[in-house]
Amino acid sequence: MDRPIGMFDSGFGGLTVARAVIDLLPNEDLVYIGDTGRYPYGSRPQAEVRAFARELAWSLVNDFNAKAIIVACNTAAAAALDELVAEMPVPVIGVIEPGARALVAATRSGRVGVIGTVGTVMSGAYDRAVASTKAAVVLTAAPCPGFVEFVERGQTSGDEIAILADRLLAPVKAAGVDTLLLGCTHYPYLARVIGQTMGPAVTLVSSADETAFAARRELGELGLLRTGTNIVAEHQFLSSGDIGWFADLGRRLLGPELAHAGAWVPQDLRAGIDTSVPPQVH
Ligand code: DGL
């Protein structure tokens, strides 16, 4: 099927998932929206993040004819995945369940950790997702406010991040976890600092690959994968913030597929559209 897969995040973080999707599903067209004009999501109330997530998902379906949505943001998935699955006319795949599966599969001691935004950790979404795997593990969760901002500024190493990491990761270190899930799609870009702080005995897990596998499985089961030979897939990247910055930093983080970026305009800036009501699909 020639329709694109739609993806969104508050900014650059979902590019970690986009990279995995492009690598695993090279035939698929992709439309990625980074809501950089309204990031960070992690410190916002759940209801507001849910409204943003619905707006982005409906835009991907109505404006870009997306055949599936990947919510490439833990904070948005924690706030809105259930609603999106219920209301969207296309399959919706989140990052939390795939991440939880990867986490419990990787641990040996059963002491596992997850780090994420305040919104994600406070939502309890990971406690529920890990519990639903039925794995015999003890989960310690720690919020890491500030990490996302470093990535959005293009700063992925240095003393400032190391000092912050030392403080924010103290609870998961103290819990003696052997595996740590990067429960925010921005965090893989800080993996070197996080890994150094946690030490070599701790395995870092991200949800990007597992989410790409979940997308392949779900689209495959529904007969929605694009098949054929000599397909040159198109990858479109949009931002609600500074497009030049999105293209520059995005290319550095994702790679050459992010050749240029376009503008995505939130509904509250479009005239006369009620954002509280999801638009109808025709
Ligand atoms: N990448 C988003 C996540 O996974 C970051 C949220 C934010 O903007 O704070 O949670």
Side-chain angles (χ1 to χ4, degrees):
M1 188 185 269
D2 288 358
R3 289 158 61 197
I5 296 173
M7 304 181 65
F8 70 87
D9 176 49
S10 64
F12 293 92
L15 295 176
T16 55
V17 185
R19 179 73 266 158
V21 171
I22 291 170
D23 291 342
L24 192 69
L25 299 171
N27 285 347
E28 298 296 333
D29 288 348
L30 208 71
V31 177
Y32 178 101
I33 305 175
D35 198 4
T36 43
R38 301 188 294 195
Y39 106 96
Y41 282 7
S43 50
R44 291 180 185 270
Q46 291 240 308
E48 189 176 26
V49 175
R50 192 174 303 126
F52 291 169
R54 292 175 71 200
E55 185 188 356
L56 285 152
W58 279 105
S59 171
L60 285 164
V61 168
N62 287 341
D63 302 333
F64 300 95
N65 201 20
K67 64 181 174 185
I69 306 288
I70 299 177
V71 182
C73 174
N74 291 263
T75 313
L81 189 72
D82 292 348
E83 285 82 357
L84 293 179
V85 168
E87 79 182 24
M88 300 307 297
V90 298
V92 181
I93 296 139
V95 282
I96 290 180
E97 277 72 23
R101 276 199 302 273
L103 178 65
V104 302
T107 184
R108 291 181 182 190
S109 70
R111 281 197 298 274
V112 297
V114 62
I115 52 173
T117 66
V118 172
T120 299
V121 170
M122 297 305 282
S123 75
Y126 271 107
D127 304 284
R128 290 189 291 279
V130 166
S132 76
T133 67
K134 304 263 195 292
V137 298
V138 177
L139 176 69
T140 303
C144 291
F147 275 6
V148 166
E149 285 81 349
F150 277 112
V151 176
E152 291 283 322
R153 286 201 296 269
Q155 198 178 333
T156 52
S157 60
D159 288 350
E160 270 179 292
I161 307 175
I163 291 164
L164 184 64
D166 223 31
R167 179 163 64 76
L168 295 175
L169 299 175
V172 281
K173 275 187 92 166
V177 304
D178 75 343
T179 311
L180 180 67
L181 175 63
L182 308 180
C184 169
T185 53
H186 283 71
Y187 296 176
Y189 294 124
L190 303 177
R192 278 180 203 86
V193 181
I194 294 169
Q196 226 152 37
T197 307
M198 293 304 295
V202 176
T203 305
L204 301 186
V205 179
S206 104
S207 48
D209 289 325
E210 197 66 20
T211 301
F213 281 117
R216 184 172 71 172
R217 194 167 48 244
E218 189 152 343
L219 295 186
E221 282 167 10
L222 295 168
L224 291 176
L225 287 175
R226 189 180 189 189
T227 51
T229 46
N230 300 325
I231 293 171
V232 180
E234 282 177 27
H235 307 115
Q236 210 179 328
F237 297 91
L238 305 164
S239 160
S240 59
D242 184 325
I243 297 163
W245 175 241
F246 196 79
D248 289 349
L249 179 59
R251 193 175 314 114
R252 203 181 101 198
L253 296 174
L254 177 106
E257 288 86 352
L258 208 165
H260 33 76
W264 181 80
V265 182
Q267 284 182 356
D268 53 9
L269 300 180
R270 301 179 201 180
I273 298 172
D274 181 0
T275 53
S276 65
V277 180
Q280 297 301 304
V281 187
H282 300 290

